[in-house]
């Protein structure tokens, strides 16, 4: 199914992580207005983000959520609850939980999607995993079909809007991981993928150092 490009949307991206920066740059380049905010309180310094058109703006979490058509939670997992409380009334908005792409100690992992849903009251919360950088690890999975993003939500609206928006930043293939009953499996699998990728990078660094 082909999707028509949406008009410019306001997208709130909450977090000061690498995945937050990635989505900010990609969606700004696709023509959307980006409103970035994070939980850290004093003089937060974001990494430089390509923004030739001046589409990336910085503000409070509450202001970002208020103006946004769609919200992306890209904080550290331990900051999800705090961020959710600052969002305000977002019950009708689609909220993407992309924290599965954020590396964190095991003791800091929380049930992020459940927390966002219970705190905000939004029925349109969706967990996503961006497979960029994991291609070699995930190649044997999903029936051998290259997958750009894994989606999990009880909301059909959240899944469809996420697909449309992801297509605008170059993604084509999606794997539907089902609904909330599969959250434990989703969390365990993405944790393993992050661990494997980390080990792969460590091995590559060791190999490079021995070849120098």
């Amino acid at each position: 199914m082909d999707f028509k490009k949406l008009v410019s949307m306001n997208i709130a991206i909450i977090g000061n992580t690498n995945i937050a920066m990635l989505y900010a740059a990609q969606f700004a380049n696709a023509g959307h207005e980006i409103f970035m905010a994070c939980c850290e309180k004093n003089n937060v310094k974001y990494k430089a983000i390509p923004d030739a058109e001046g589409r990336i703006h910085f503000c409070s979490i509450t202001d970002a959520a208020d103006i946004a058509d769609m919200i992306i939670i890209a904080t550290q997992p331990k900051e999800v609850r705090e961020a959710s409380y600052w969002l305000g009334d977002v019950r009708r908005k689609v909220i993407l939980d992309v924290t599965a792409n954020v590396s964190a100690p095991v003791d800091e992992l929380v049930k992020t999607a459940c927390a966002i849903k219970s705190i905000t009251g939004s029925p349109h919360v969706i967990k996503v995993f961006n497979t960029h950088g994991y291609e070699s690890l995930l190649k044997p999975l999903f029936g051998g079909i290259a997958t750009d993003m894994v989606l999990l939500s009880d909301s059909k609206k959240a899944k469809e809007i996420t697909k449309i928006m992801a297509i605008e930043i170059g993604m084509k293939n999606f794997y539907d991981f089902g609904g909330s009953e599969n959250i434990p499996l989703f969390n365990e699998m993405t944790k393993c993928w992050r661990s494997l990728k980390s080990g792969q990078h460590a091995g590559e660094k060791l190999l490079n150092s021995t070849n120098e």
Side-chain angles (χ1 to χ4, degrees):
M1 179 178 180
D2 294 328
F3 291 97
K4 181 179 179 181
K5 181 178 176 63
L6 295 179
V7 297
S8 177
M9 293 180 67
N10 295 330
I11 302 175
I13 300 181
I14 315 301
N16 193 11
T17 59
N18 289 335
I19 194 69
M21 308 303 154
L22 174 66
Y23 280 126
Q26 290 180 329
F27 280 118
N29 188 56
H32 300 287
E33 296 295 323
I34 310 304
F35 297 84
M36 299 198 71
C38 70
C39 295
E40 297 171 295
K41 298 175 177 64
N42 298 315
N43 298 320
V44 175
K45 292 185 178 180
Y46 283 88
K47 297 176 183 178
I49 310 172
D51 181 27
E53 302 296 327
R55 295 185 180 277
I56 299 177
H57 319 280
F58 300 90
C59 57
S60 69
I61 293 177
T62 303
D63 288 343
D66 182 59
I67 197 172
D69 300 302
M70 183 179 79
I71 300 167
I72 298 175
I73 304 291
T75 66
Q76 292 290 332
K78 66 180 181 179
E79 297 174 336
V80 164
R81 291 182 181 277
E82 179 186 348
S84 297
Y85 278 114
W86 284 107
L87 291 177
D89 186 359
V90 292
R91 287 172 291 180
R92 296 185 178 182
K93 299 184 180 183
V94 171
I95 305 175
L96 278 66
D97 171 7
V98 305
T99 58
N101 280 108
V102 179
S103 295
V106 174
D107 60 352
E108 291 183 3
L109 298 180
V110 297
K111 296 179 179 178
T112 53
C114 296
I116 296 168
K117 196 170 184 178
S118 62
I119 292 170
T120 64
S122 172
H124 306 300
V125 177
I126 180 169
K127 287 183 73 70
V128 306
F129 184 81
N130 186 329
T131 66
H132 177 71
Y134 292 82
E135 291 87 352
S136 62
L137 291 174
L138 304 183
K139 189 175 181 179
L141 301 180
F142 310 119
I145 299 174
T147 300
D148 299 309
M149 180 176 280
V150 183
L151 313 171
L152 183 151
S153 180
D154 292 324
S155 168
K156 182 176 180 180
K157 171 183 175 180
K159 287 181 178 179
E160 292 306 312
I161 289 180
T162 299
K163 288 178 184 178
I164 292 171
M165 297 304 293
I167 287 171
E168 291 197 6
I169 57 175
M171 297 185 179
K172 297 179 180 178
N173 301 311
F174 305 92
Y175 186 86
D176 191 331
F177 212 84
S180 56
E181 72 279 2
N182 292 329
I183 287 178
L185 179 58
F186 180 96
N187 289 342
E188 188 62 30
M189 290 185 71
T190 54
K191 181 180 74 174
C192 289
W193 296 340
R194 292 194 304 270
S195 179
L196 287 169
K197 182 181 178 183
S198 177
Q200 185 182 60
H201 285 177
E204 290 171 352
K205 288 181 180 179
L206 179 61
L207 181 61
N208 290 336
S209 66
T210 57
N211 290 334
E212 290 177 353

mmCIF file with all atom_site columns, all heavy atoms in Angstrom, residues 127 150-154 159 175-190:
data_model
loop_
_atom_site.group_PDB
_atom_site.id
_atom_site.type_symbol
_atom_site.label_atom_id
_atom_site.label_alt_id
_atom_site.label_comp_id
_atom_site.label_asym_id
_atom_site.label_entity_id
_atom_site.label_seq_id
_atom_site.pdbx_PDB_ins_code
_atom_site.Cartn_x
_atom_site.Cartn_y
_atom_site.Cartn_z
_atom_site.occupancy
_atom_site.B_iso_or_equiv
_atom_site.pdbx_formal_charge
_atom_site.auth_seq_id
_atom_site.auth_comp_id
_atom_site.auth_asym_id
_atom_site.auth_atom_id
_atom_site.pdbx_PDB_model_num
ATOM 1   N N   . LYS A 1 127 ? 5.067  0.812   21.144 1.00 0.00 ? 127 LYS A N   1
ATOM 2   C CA  . LYS A 1 127 ? 6.493  0.539   21.306 1.00 0.00 ? 127 LYS A CA  1
ATOM 3   C C   . LYS A 1 127 ? 7.083  0.259   19.936 1.00 0.00 ? 127 LYS A C   1
ATOM 4   O O   . LYS A 1 127 ? 6.496  -0.490  19.140 1.00 0.00 ? 127 LYS A O   1
ATOM 5   C CB  . LYS A 1 127 ? 6.721  -0.678  22.202 1.00 0.00 ? 127 LYS A CB  1
ATOM 6   C CG  . LYS A 1 127 ? 6.442  -0.431  23.680 1.00 0.00 ? 127 LYS A CG  1
ATOM 7   C CD  . LYS A 1 127 ? 6.758  -1.643  24.523 1.00 0.00 ? 127 LYS A CD  1
ATOM 8   C CE  . LYS A 1 127 ? 8.250  -1.871  24.660 1.00 0.00 ? 127 LYS A CE  1
ATOM 9   N NZ  . LYS A 1 127 ? 8.930  -0.845  25.491 1.00 0.00 ? 127 LYS A NZ  1
ATOM 10  N N   . VAL A 1 150 ? 10.176 -2.570  14.121 1.00 0.00 ? 150 VAL A N   1
ATOM 11  C CA  . VAL A 1 150 ? 9.287  -3.518  14.781 1.00 0.00 ? 150 VAL A CA  1
ATOM 12  C C   . VAL A 1 150 ? 8.273  -2.720  15.594 1.00 0.00 ? 150 VAL A C   1
ATOM 13  O O   . VAL A 1 150 ? 8.647  -1.794  16.337 1.00 0.00 ? 150 VAL A O   1
ATOM 14  C CB  . VAL A 1 150 ? 10.079 -4.467  15.704 1.00 0.00 ? 150 VAL A CB  1
ATOM 15  C CG1 . VAL A 1 150 ? 9.147  -5.504  16.332 1.00 0.00 ? 150 VAL A CG1 1
ATOM 16  C CG2 . VAL A 1 150 ? 11.195 -5.158  14.927 1.00 0.00 ? 150 VAL A CG2 1
ATOM 17  N N   . LEU A 1 151 ? 6.982  -3.057  15.471 1.00 0.00 ? 151 LEU A N   1
ATOM 18  C CA  . LEU A 1 151 ? 5.909  -2.296  16.101 1.00 0.00 ? 151 LEU A CA  1
ATOM 19  C C   . LEU A 1 151 ? 5.122  -3.170  17.074 1.00 0.00 ? 151 LEU A C   1
ATOM 20  O O   . LEU A 1 151 ? 4.838  -4.331  16.786 1.00 0.00 ? 151 LEU A O   1
ATOM 21  C CB  . LEU A 1 151 ? 4.933  -1.767  15.049 1.00 0.00 ? 151 LEU A CB  1
ATOM 22  C CG  . LEU A 1 151 ? 5.506  -1.076  13.810 1.00 0.00 ? 151 LEU A CG  1
ATOM 23  C CD1 . LEU A 1 151 ? 4.395  -0.832  12.811 1.00 0.00 ? 151 LEU A CD1 1
ATOM 24  C CD2 . LEU A 1 151 ? 6.162  0.235   14.195 1.00 0.00 ? 151 LEU A CD2 1
ATOM 25  N N   . LEU A 1 152 ? 4.740  -2.591  18.221 1.00 0.00 ? 152 LEU A N   1
ATOM 26  C CA  . LEU A 1 152 ? 3.889  -3.297  19.180 1.00 0.00 ? 152 LEU A CA  1
ATOM 27  C C   . LEU A 1 152 ? 2.910  -2.314  19.802 1.00 0.00 ? 152 LEU A C   1
ATOM 28  O O   . LEU A 1 152 ? 3.310  -1.306  20.385 1.00 0.00 ? 152 LEU A O   1
ATOM 29  C CB  . LEU A 1 152 ? 4.736  -3.953  20.280 1.00 0.00 ? 152 LEU A CB  1
ATOM 30  C CG  . LEU A 1 152 ? 3.979  -4.790  21.317 1.00 0.00 ? 152 LEU A CG  1
ATOM 31  C CD1 . LEU A 1 152 ? 4.871  -5.911  21.871 1.00 0.00 ? 152 LEU A CD1 1
ATOM 32  C CD2 . LEU A 1 152 ? 3.452  -3.944  22.473 1.00 0.00 ? 152 LEU A CD2 1
ATOM 33  N N   . SER A 1 153 ? 1.621  -2.580  19.653 1.00 0.00 ? 153 SER A N   1
ATOM 34  C CA  . SER A 1 153 ? 0.595  -1.706  20.226 1.00 0.00 ? 153 SER A CA  1
ATOM 35  C C   . SER A 1 153 ? -0.767 -2.379  20.163 1.00 0.00 ? 153 SER A C   1
ATOM 36  O O   . SER A 1 153 ? -1.012 -3.232  19.298 1.00 0.00 ? 153 SER A O   1
ATOM 37  C CB  . SER A 1 153 ? 0.530  -0.374  19.469 1.00 0.00 ? 153 SER A CB  1
ATOM 38  O OG  . SER A 1 153 ? -0.465 0.474   20.021 1.00 0.00 ? 153 SER A OG  1
ATOM 39  N N   . ASP A 1 154 ? -1.658 -1.984  21.074 1.00 0.00 ? 154 ASP A N   1
ATOM 40  C CA  . ASP A 1 154 ? -3.053 -2.425  21.008 1.00 0.00 ? 154 ASP A CA  1
ATOM 41  C C   . ASP A 1 154 ? -3.873 -1.494  20.118 1.00 0.00 ? 154 ASP A C   1
ATOM 42  O O   . ASP A 1 154 ? -5.036 -1.774  19.840 1.00 0.00 ? 154 ASP A O   1
ATOM 43  C CB  . ASP A 1 154 ? -3.673 -2.429  22.418 1.00 0.00 ? 154 ASP A CB  1
ATOM 44  C CG  . ASP A 1 154 ? -3.056 -3.501  23.302 1.00 0.00 ? 154 ASP A CG  1
ATOM 45  O OD1 . ASP A 1 154 ? -2.732 -4.578  22.782 1.00 0.00 ? 154 ASP A OD1 1
ATOM 46  O OD2 . ASP A 1 154 ? -2.894 -3.248  24.513 1.00 0.00 ? 154 ASP A OD2 1
ATOM 47  N N   . LYS A 1 159 ? -0.443 2.229   15.136 1.00 0.00 ? 159 LYS A N   1
ATOM 48  C CA  . LYS A 1 159 ? 0.373  1.466   14.188 1.00 0.00 ? 159 LYS A CA  1
ATOM 49  C C   . LYS A 1 159 ? 0.345  2.105   12.795 1.00 0.00 ? 159 LYS A C   1
ATOM 50  O O   . LYS A 1 159 ? 1.383  2.230   12.140 1.00 0.00 ? 159 LYS A O   1
ATOM 51  C CB  . LYS A 1 159 ? -0.106 0.018   14.123 1.00 0.00 ? 159 LYS A CB  1
ATOM 52  C CG  . LYS A 1 159 ? 0.253  -0.810  15.354 1.00 0.00 ? 159 LYS A CG  1
ATOM 53  C CD  . LYS A 1 159 ? -0.233 -2.245  15.226 1.00 0.00 ? 159 LYS A CD  1
ATOM 54  C CE  . LYS A 1 159 ? 0.176  -3.069  16.446 1.00 0.00 ? 159 LYS A CE  1
ATOM 55  N NZ  . LYS A 1 159 ? -0.308 -4.467  16.376 1.00 0.00 ? 159 LYS A NZ  1
ATOM 56  N N   . TYR A 1 175 ? 7.466  -4.921  10.940 1.00 0.00 ? 175 TYR A N   1
ATOM 57  C CA  . TYR A 1 175 ? 7.054  -6.201  11.520 1.00 0.00 ? 175 TYR A CA  1
ATOM 58  C C   . TYR A 1 175 ? 6.116  -5.910  12.679 1.00 0.00 ? 175 TYR A C   1
ATOM 59  O O   . TYR A 1 175 ? 6.492  -5.234  13.636 1.00 0.00 ? 175 TYR A O   1
ATOM 60  C CB  . TYR A 1 175 ? 8.258  -6.996  12.007 1.00 0.00 ? 175 TYR A CB  1
ATOM 61  C CG  . TYR A 1 175 ? 7.880  -8.386  12.489 1.00 0.00 ? 175 TYR A CG  1
ATOM 62  C CD1 . TYR A 1 175 ? 7.793  -9.449  11.594 1.00 0.00 ? 175 TYR A CD1 1
ATOM 63  C CD2 . TYR A 1 175 ? 7.592  -8.619  13.831 1.00 0.00 ? 175 TYR A CD2 1
ATOM 64  C CE1 . TYR A 1 175 ? 7.428  -10.719 12.021 1.00 0.00 ? 175 TYR A CE1 1
ATOM 65  C CE2 . TYR A 1 175 ? 7.232  -9.882  14.266 1.00 0.00 ? 175 TYR A CE2 1
ATOM 66  C CZ  . TYR A 1 175 ? 7.157  -10.934 13.368 1.00 0.00 ? 175 TYR A CZ  1
ATOM 67  O OH  . TYR A 1 175 ? 6.794  -12.182 13.797 1.00 0.00 ? 175 TYR A OH  1
ATOM 68  N N   . ASP A 1 176 ? 4.892  -6.410  12.582 1.00 0.00 ? 176 ASP A N   1
ATOM 69  C CA  . ASP A 1 176 ? 3.884  -6.200  13.621 1.00 0.00 ? 176 ASP A CA  1
ATOM 70  C C   . ASP A 1 176 ? 4.080  -7.250  14.711 1.00 0.00 ? 176 ASP A C   1
ATOM 71  O O   . ASP A 1 176 ? 3.843  -8.437  14.497 1.00 0.00 ? 176 ASP A O   1
ATOM 72  C CB  . ASP A 1 176 ? 2.484  -6.309  13.014 1.00 0.00 ? 176 ASP A CB  1
ATOM 73  C CG  . ASP A 1 176 ? 1.394  -5.851  13.973 1.00 0.00 ? 176 ASP A CG  1
ATOM 74  O OD1 . ASP A 1 176 ? 1.588  -5.972  15.199 1.00 0.00 ? 176 ASP A OD1 1
ATOM 75  O OD2 . ASP A 1 176 ? 0.349  -5.376  13.497 1.00 0.00 ? 176 ASP A OD2 1
ATOM 76  N N   . PHE A 1 177 ? 4.498  -6.790  15.889 1.00 0.00 ? 177 PHE A N   1
ATOM 77  C CA  . PHE A 1 177 ? 4.803  -7.680  17.006 1.00 0.00 ? 177 PHE A CA  1
ATOM 78  C C   . PHE A 1 177 ? 3.572  -7.942  17.873 1.00 0.00 ? 177 PHE A C   1
ATOM 79  O O   . PHE A 1 177 ? 3.663  -8.521  18.947 1.00 0.00 ? 177 PHE A O   1
ATOM 80  C CB  . PHE A 1 177 ? 5.922  -7.070  17.866 1.00 0.00 ? 177 PHE A CB  1
ATOM 81  C CG  . PHE A 1 177 ? 6.829  -8.081  18.510 1.00 0.00 ? 177 PHE A CG  1
ATOM 82  C CD1 . PHE A 1 177 ? 7.899  -8.615  17.817 1.00 0.00 ? 177 PHE A CD1 1
ATOM 83  C CD2 . PHE A 1 177 ? 6.625  -8.490  19.816 1.00 0.00 ? 177 PHE A CD2 1
ATOM 84  C CE1 . PHE A 1 177 ? 8.738  -9.546  18.407 1.00 0.00 ? 177 PHE A CE1 1
ATOM 85  C CE2 . PHE A 1 177 ? 7.457  -9.418  20.417 1.00 0.00 ? 177 PHE A CE2 1
ATOM 86  C CZ  . PHE A 1 177 ? 8.516  -9.951  19.712 1.00 0.00 ? 177 PHE A CZ  1
ATOM 87  N N   . GLY A 1 178 ? 2.430  -7.493  17.412 1.00 0.00 ? 178 GLY A N   1
ATOM 88  C CA  . GLY A 1 178 ? 1.190  -7.753  18.134 1.00 0.00 ? 178 GLY A CA  1
ATOM 89  C C   . GLY A 1 178 ? 0.850  -6.683  19.148 1.00 0.00 ? 178 GLY A C   1
ATOM 90  O O   . GLY A 1 178 ? 1.194  -5.511  18.986 1.00 0.00 ? 178 GLY A O   1
ATOM 91  N N   . GLY A 1 179 ? 0.156  -7.109  20.225 1.00 0.00 ? 179 GLY A N   1
ATOM 92  C CA  . GLY A 1 179 ? -0.315 -6.168  21.234 1.00 0.00 ? 179 GLY A CA  1
ATOM 93  C C   . GLY A 1 179 ? 0.406  -6.306  22.564 1.00 0.00 ? 179 GLY A C   1
ATOM 94  O O   . GLY A 1 179 ? 1.449  -6.954  22.656 1.00 0.00 ? 179 GLY A O   1
ATOM 95  N N   . SER A 1 180 ? -0.188 -5.703  23.591 1.00 0.00 ? 180 SER A N   1
ATOM 96  C CA  . SER A 1 180 ? 0.459  -5.603  24.901 1.00 0.00 ? 180 SER A CA  1
ATOM 97  C C   . SER A 1 180 ? 0.773  -6.945  25.537 1.00 0.00 ? 180 SER A C   1
ATOM 98  O O   . SER A 1 180 ? 1.641  -7.045  26.403 1.00 0.00 ? 180 SER A O   1
ATOM 99  C CB  . SER A 1 180 ? -0.407 -4.765  25.840 1.00 0.00 ? 180 SER A CB  1
ATOM 100 O OG  . SER A 1 180 ? -1.709 -5.301  25.937 1.00 0.00 ? 180 SER A OG  1
ATOM 101 N N   . GLU A 1 181 ? 0.072  -8.004  25.113 1.00 0.00 ? 181 GLU A N   1
ATOM 102 C CA  . GLU A 1 181 ? 0.365  -9.327  25.663 1.00 0.00 ? 181 GLU A CA  1
ATOM 103 C C   . GLU A 1 181 ? 1.774  -9.798  25.312 1.00 0.00 ? 181 GLU A C   1
ATOM 104 O O   . GLU A 1 181 ? 2.349  -10.674 25.963 1.00 0.00 ? 181 GLU A O   1
ATOM 105 C CB  . GLU A 1 181 ? -0.664 -10.356 25.157 1.00 0.00 ? 181 GLU A CB  1
ATOM 106 C CG  . GLU A 1 181 ? -0.538 -10.749 23.702 1.00 0.00 ? 181 GLU A CG  1
ATOM 107 C CD  . GLU A 1 181 ? -1.174 -9.750  22.730 1.00 0.00 ? 181 GLU A CD  1
ATOM 108 O OE1 . GLU A 1 181 ? -1.694 -8.709  23.203 1.00 0.00 ? 181 GLU A OE1 1
ATOM 109 O OE2 . GLU A 1 181 ? -1.161 -10.010 21.509 1.00 0.00 ? 181 GLU A OE2 1
ATOM 110 N N   . ASN A 1 182 ? 2.373  -9.176  24.289 1.00 0.00 ? 182 ASN A N   1
ATOM 111 C CA  . ASN A 1 182 ? 3.714  -9.558  23.847 1.00 0.00 ? 182 ASN A CA  1
ATOM 112 C C   . ASN A 1 182 ? 4.811  -8.622  24.357 1.00 0.00 ? 182 ASN A C   1
ATOM 113 O O   . ASN A 1 182 ? 5.974  -8.758  23.951 1.00 0.00 ? 182 ASN A O   1
ATOM 114 C CB  . ASN A 1 182 ? 3.768  -9.602  22.319 1.00 0.00 ? 182 ASN A CB  1
ATOM 115 C CG  . ASN A 1 182 ? 2.934  -10.732 21.748 1.00 0.00 ? 182 ASN A CG  1
ATOM 116 O OD1 . ASN A 1 182 ? 2.784  -11.772 22.378 1.00 0.00 ? 182 ASN A OD1 1
ATOM 117 N ND2 . ASN A 1 182 ? 2.380  -10.520 20.564 1.00 0.00 ? 182 ASN A ND2 1
ATOM 118 N N   . ILE A 1 183 ? 4.474  -7.685  25.236 1.00 0.00 ? 183 ILE A N   1
ATOM 119 C CA  . ILE A 1 183 ? 5.477  -6.751  25.755 1.00 0.00 ? 183 ILE A CA  1
ATOM 120 C C   . ILE A 1 183 ? 6.649  -7.467  26.424 1.00 0.00 ? 183 ILE A C   1
ATOM 121 O O   . ILE A 1 183 ? 7.811  -7.120  26.174 1.00 0.00 ? 183 ILE A O   1
ATOM 122 C CB  . ILE A 1 183 ? 4.835  -5.716  26.713 1.00 0.00 ? 183 ILE A CB  1
ATOM 123 C CG1 . ILE A 1 183 ? 4.015  -4.707  25.902 1.00 0.00 ? 183 ILE A CG1 1
ATOM 124 C CG2 . ILE A 1 183 ? 5.909  -4.991  27.529 1.00 0.00 ? 183 ILE A CG2 1
ATOM 125 C CD1 . ILE A 1 183 ? 3.308  -3.670  26.759 1.00 0.00 ? 183 ILE A CD1 1
ATOM 126 N N   . PRO A 1 184 ? 6.417  -8.459  27.303 1.00 0.00 ? 184 PRO A N   1
ATOM 127 C CA  . PRO A 1 184 ? 7.566  -9.142  27.923 1.00 0.00 ? 184 PRO A CA  1
ATOM 128 C C   . PRO A 1 184 ? 8.528  -9.738  26.901 1.00 0.00 ? 184 PRO A C   1
ATOM 129 O O   . PRO A 1 184 ? 9.755  -9.625  27.044 1.00 0.00 ? 184 PRO A O   1
ATOM 130 C CB  . PRO A 1 184 ? 6.906  -10.231 28.785 1.00 0.00 ? 184 PRO A CB  1
ATOM 131 C CG  . PRO A 1 184 ? 5.555  -9.689  29.097 1.00 0.00 ? 184 PRO A CG  1
ATOM 132 C CD  . PRO A 1 184 ? 5.135  -8.965  27.848 1.00 0.00 ? 184 PRO A CD  1
ATOM 133 N N   . LEU A 1 185 ? 7.982  -10.368 25.849 1.00 0.00 ? 185 LEU A N   1
ATOM 134 C CA  . LEU A 1 185 ? 8.825  -10.955 24.807 1.00 0.00 ? 185 LEU A CA  1
ATOM 135 C C   . LEU A 1 185 ? 9.552  -9.873  24.027 1.00 0.00 ? 185 LEU A C   1
ATOM 136 O O   . LEU A 1 185 ? 10.747 -10.000 23.725 1.00 0.00 ? 185 LEU A O   1
ATOM 137 C CB  . LEU A 1 185 ? 7.974  -11.804 23.866 1.00 0.00 ? 185 LEU A CB  1
ATOM 138 C CG  . LEU A 1 185 ? 8.709  -12.477 22.697 1.00 0.00 ? 185 LEU A CG  1
ATOM 139 C CD1 . LEU A 1 185 ? 9.818  -13.381 23.197 1.00 0.00 ? 185 LEU A CD1 1
ATOM 140 C CD2 . LEU A 1 185 ? 7.718  -13.269 21.840 1.00 0.00 ? 185 LEU A CD2 1
ATOM 141 N N   . PHE A 1 186 ? 8.839  -8.792  23.691 1.00 0.00 ? 186 PHE A N   1
ATOM 142 C CA  . PHE A 1 186 ? 9.441  -7.663  22.968 1.00 0.00 ? 186 PHE A CA  1
ATOM 143 C C   . PHE A 1 186 ? 10.615 -7.102  23.772 1.00 0.00 ? 186 PHE A C   1
ATOM 144 O O   . PHE A 1 186 ? 11.703 -6.865  23.233 1.00 0.00 ? 186 PHE A O   1
ATOM 145 C CB  . PHE A 1 186 ? 8.382  -6.580  22.748 1.00 0.00 ? 186 PHE A CB  1
ATOM 146 C CG  . PHE A 1 186 ? 8.871  -5.356  22.017 1.00 0.00 ? 186 PHE A CG  1
ATOM 147 C CD1 . PHE A 1 186 ? 8.685  -5.223  20.647 1.00 0.00 ? 186 PHE A CD1 1
ATOM 148 C CD2 . PHE A 1 186 ? 9.485  -4.309  22.700 1.00 0.00 ? 186 PHE A CD2 1
ATOM 149 C CE1 . PHE A 1 186 ? 9.121  -4.087  19.974 1.00 0.00 ? 186 PHE A CE1 1
ATOM 150 C CE2 . PHE A 1 186 ? 9.916  -3.176  22.041 1.00 0.00 ? 186 PHE A CE2 1
ATOM 151 C CZ  . PHE A 1 186 ? 9.737  -3.060  20.663 1.00 0.00 ? 186 PHE A CZ  1
ATOM 152 N N   . ASN A 1 187 ? 10.408 -6.884  25.071 1.00 0.00 ? 187 ASN A N   1
ATOM 153 C CA  . ASN A 1 187 ? 11.459 -6.323  25.927 1.00 0.00 ? 187 ASN A CA  1
ATOM 154 C C   . ASN A 1 187 ? 12.666 -7.248  26.004 1.00 0.00 ? 187 ASN A C   1
ATOM 155 O O   . ASN A 1 187 ? 13.820 -6.799  25.958 1.00 0.00 ? 187 ASN A O   1
ATOM 156 C CB  . ASN A 1 187 ? 10.913 -6.066  27.334 1.00 0.00 ? 187 ASN A CB  1
ATOM 157 C CG  . ASN A 1 187 ? 9.951  -4.900  27.373 1.00 0.00 ? 187 ASN A CG  1
ATOM 158 O OD1 . ASN A 1 187 ? 9.916  -4.075  26.456 1.00 0.00 ? 187 ASN A OD1 1
ATOM 159 N ND2 . ASN A 1 187 ? 9.146  -4.825  28.423 1.00 0.00 ? 187 ASN A ND2 1
ATOM 160 N N   . GLU A 1 188 ? 12.409 -8.541  26.139 1.00 0.00 ? 188 GLU A N   1
ATOM 161 C CA  . GLU A 1 188 ? 13.505 -9.501  26.251 1.00 0.00 ? 188 GLU A CA  1
ATOM 162 C C   . GLU A 1 188 ? 14.295 -9.590  24.953 1.00 0.00 ? 188 GLU A C   1
ATOM 163 O O   . GLU A 1 188 ? 15.532 -9.620  24.963 1.00 0.00 ? 188 GLU A O   1
ATOM 164 C CB  . GLU A 1 188 ? 12.955 -10.878 26.626 1.00 0.00 ? 188 GLU A CB  1
ATOM 165 C CG  . GLU A 1 188 ? 14.026 -11.907 26.953 1.00 0.00 ? 188 GLU A CG  1
ATOM 166 C CD  . GLU A 1 188 ? 14.882 -11.524 28.152 1.00 0.00 ? 188 GLU A CD  1
ATOM 167 O OE1 . GLU A 1 188 ? 14.362 -10.821 29.050 1.00 0.00 ? 188 GLU A OE1 1
ATOM 168 O OE2 . GLU A 1 188 ? 16.070 -11.916 28.183 1.00 0.00 ? 188 GLU A OE2 1
ATOM 169 N N   . MET A 1 189 ? 13.599 -9.609  23.828 1.00 0.00 ? 189 MET A N   1
ATOM 170 C CA  . MET A 1 189 ? 14.278 -9.712  22.539 1.00 0.00 ? 189 MET A CA  1
ATOM 171 C C   . MET A 1 189 ? 15.100 -8.468  22.236 1.00 0.00 ? 189 MET A C   1
ATOM 172 O O   . MET A 1 189 ? 16.249 -8.566  21.801 1.00 0.00 ? 189 MET A O   1
ATOM 173 C CB  . MET A 1 189 ? 13.261 -9.963  21.427 1.00 0.00 ? 189 MET A CB  1
ATOM 174 C CG  . MET A 1 189 ? 12.641 -11.341 21.474 1.00 0.00 ? 189 MET A CG  1
ATOM 175 S SD  . MET A 1 189 ? 11.551 -11.702 20.068 1.00 0.00 ? 189 MET A SD  1
ATOM 176 C CE  . MET A 1 189 ? 12.749 -11.846 18.739 1.00 0.00 ? 189 MET A CE  1
ATOM 177 N N   . THR A 1 190 ? 14.521 -7.292  22.458 1.00 0.00 ? 190 THR A N   1
ATOM 178 C CA  . THR A 1 190 ? 15.272 -6.056  22.161 1.00 0.00 ? 190 THR A CA  1
ATOM 179 C C   . THR A 1 190 ? 16.457 -5.897  23.108 1.00 0.00 ? 190 THR A C   1
ATOM 180 O O   . THR A 1 190 ? 17.504 -5.373  22.718 1.00 0.00 ? 190 THR A O   1
ATOM 181 C CB  . THR A 1 190 ? 14.355 -4.824  22.233 1.00 0.00 ? 190 THR A CB  1
ATOM 182 O OG1 . THR A 1 190 ? 13.673 -4.788  23.498 1.00 0.00 ? 190 THR A OG1 1
ATOM 183 C CG2 . THR A 1 190 ? 13.324 -4.858  21.111 1.00 0.00 ? 190 THR A CG2 1
#
